Amino acid sequence: AQTVTQSQPEMSVQEAETVTLSCTYDTSESDYYLFWYKQPPSRQMILVIRQEAYKQQNATENRFSVNFQKAAKSFSLKISDSQLGDAAMYFCAYTIKAAGNKLTFGGGTRVLVKP
Amino acid sequence: EPEVTQTPSHQVTQMGQEVILRCVPISNHLYFYWYRQILGQKVEFLVSFYNNEISEKSEIFDDQFSVERPDGSNFTLKIRSTKLEDSAMYFCASSELGGPGANVLTFGAGSRLTVL
């Protein structure tokens, strides 16, 4: 069974600084997708960034970037120039192509941003 | 920006009662999902629904659960006889197509169910 592990329950970052959230996953599949979702206190999960496993280039969305290490099965999220609005729970998620949008989630990392 | 809308935001019920959680997916989306998150645990997949039938369900989704799209807009999750362990946040989600590539999930804000 696929598993997704986020080893950091909580991370704190100073405004304008950088924070990196870790995520590891376990799979025997080769064609899969990885996601980072953000869940602000309003509770709605919002897609931050996604990565297709067959693409070697790391995905980037503005201040958010990933470090995808396929061999190590690692998918970390870097938030640069942290803003107060980045404070949220961040979930790493995985799915194989054949499973469509049946996602397997990690346990989440709470990000606190200090002004 | 289009949103997935869920009602109620919070429901308290007695054990053994039936509960219906409602969702209005994004209008041009064809695939619908329910996920749940028990407090302190991971978000878990429950069921996916396409073309008026269940396309996949997890082992959690047993006979006490059912889903329905009663009209062109609503997508409901029914729990027939609630148990204490059904207390959780239930998230509805939808996607335009079924594949995960460009067709990512849009989640609702969730319905918190408390079973007493």
Side-chain angles (χ1 to χ4, degrees):
Chain A
Q2 291 86 12
T3 58
V4 178
T5 302
Q6 294 178 247
S7 59
Q8 307 148 317
E10 187 173 285
M11 295 287 283
S12 185
V13 61
Q14 205 72 36
E15 198 175 5
E17 297 293 307
T18 295
V19 64
T20 299
L21 312 183
S22 67
C23 173
T24 58
Y25 58 94
D26 184 22
T27 184
S28 57
E29 302 288 338
S30 59
D31 196 2
Y32 55 88
Y33 296 80
L34 294 160
F35 307 85
W36 279 99
Y37 277 89
K38 170 186 177 182
Q39 187 182 36
S42 66
R43 302 177 301 166
Q44 186 169 18
M45 272 192 284
I46 305 162
L47 178 68
V48 174
I49 200 166
R50 70 173 176 267
Q51 175 83 40
E52 298 170 58
Y54 69 88
K55 289 188 176 178
Q56 293 190 344
Q57 187 173 7
N58 289 323
T60 300
E61 289 287 344
N62 300 313
R63 297 182 294 106
F64 297 88
S65 61
V66 297
N67 183 5
F68 174 47
Q69 301 289 328
K70 191 171 184 178
K73 297 179 183 174
S74 170
F75 182 61
S76 61
L77 174 70
K78 184 168 80 173
I79 307 173
S80 303
D81 185 25
S82 297
Q83 300 175 1
L84 295 177
D86 295 333
M89 191 70 120
Y90 286 80
F91 292 99
C92 179
Y94 157 99
T95 188
I96 60 173
K97 189 174 181 180
N101 276 316
K102 177 185 174 185
L103 301 183
T104 299
F105 284 87
T109 297
R110 183 173 302 282
V111 171
L112 307 173
V113 182
K114 296 179 180 177
Chain B
E1 184 153 343
E3 288 187 344
V4 173
T5 306
Q6 290 187 241
T7 54
S9 57
H10 189 194
Q11 181 158 357
V12 181
T13 191
Q14 295 291 324
M15 191 169 54
Q17 294 296 303
E18 176 182 284
V19 161
I20 297 176
L21 305 179
R22 292 182 168 80
C23 169
V24 179
I26 293 173
S27 60
N28 65 332
H29 284 188
L30 301 176
Y31 290 78
F32 314 112
Y33 309 82
W34 284 101
Y35 284 77
R36 81 171 185 189
Q37 184 181 27
I38 295 172
L39 188 64
Q41 298 186 23
K42 295 183 178 182
V43 177
E44 304 170 289
F45 168 81
L46 289 179
V47 65
S48 59
F49 189 87
Y50 169 71
N51 199 26
N52 280 321
E53 59 183 30
I54 291 173
S55 45
E56 189 167 0
K57 60 183 181 180
S58 71
E59 60 274 12
I60 303 167
F61 194 88
D62 61 22
D63 290 345
Q64 71 160 341
F65 290 94
S66 62
V67 289
E68 191 178 36
R69 190 158 161 80
D71 52 42
S73 59
N74 288 287
F75 177 53
T76 61
L77 174 68
K78 182 192 290 185
I79 309 174
R80 222 175 310 279
S81 176
T82 50
K83 306 172 189 171
L84 294 176
E85 54 265 35
D86 294 328
S87 294
M89 181 74 87
Y90 289 82
F91 293 101
C92 176
S94 68
S95 63
E96 188 172 355
L97 295 174
N103 303 297
V104 294
L105 290 178
T106 301
F107 283 89
S111 292
R112 178 168 296 286
L113 176 64
T114 302
V115 182
L116 302 176

